[in-house]
Amino acid sequence: MTIKEKINNFIERTFHDEIIAVEPPREFWMEYKDVGRRLEGYITTVTYKYRGKQDVLSTIDNDHFQLISPEKALKNAMNFYEKVTKKIKNSNENTK
C-alpha cells in the first residue's frame, strides 16, 4: 500500500465513517443532590463501521430560559433517528 493510499484510507475512516446501525432514542436521567432525579435529554446510540458505538445526546435546557423543552429535545432525537435510519436504508439499497 502506497503512502497516498494510506492517507486516503485514514481520511475515509476518520472523517467519512459509515453509519451501519442506530438505536431508537432513550431517556437520559441524572440524580442531583439539590434537585433530585431529573430528565436531562435523550440518547441515540449510533454504530459506525470503524469507530464502533457512540452516543448522540439531544439535551433539554433545564436552566432559567428553558430554550429547549423536553418535547423539543425528543423531537430532535426522533428526527435524527429517522434521518439516520433513512440514510442506512438508502445505503443498503444502493449496495444491492
Side-chain angles (χ1 to χ4, degrees), residues 25 42 58 69-82:
Y42 296 90
S58 299
S69 67
E71 295 81 20
K72 180 64 177 167
L74 178 59
K75 184 177 178 183
N76 290 343
M78 288 304 297
N79 286 344
F80 175 76
Y81 172 72
E82 291 167 0

Side-chain angles (χ1 to χ4, degrees), residues 5 15 20 29 33 41 43 50 54-55 58 61 64-65 68:
E5 290 172 339
F15 301 108
I20 57 174
W29 293 84
K33 291 181 181 178
I43 297 175
Y50 299 109
Q54 291 189 344
D55 291 332
S58 299
D61 184 14
H64 301 290
F65 295 116
I68 302 174

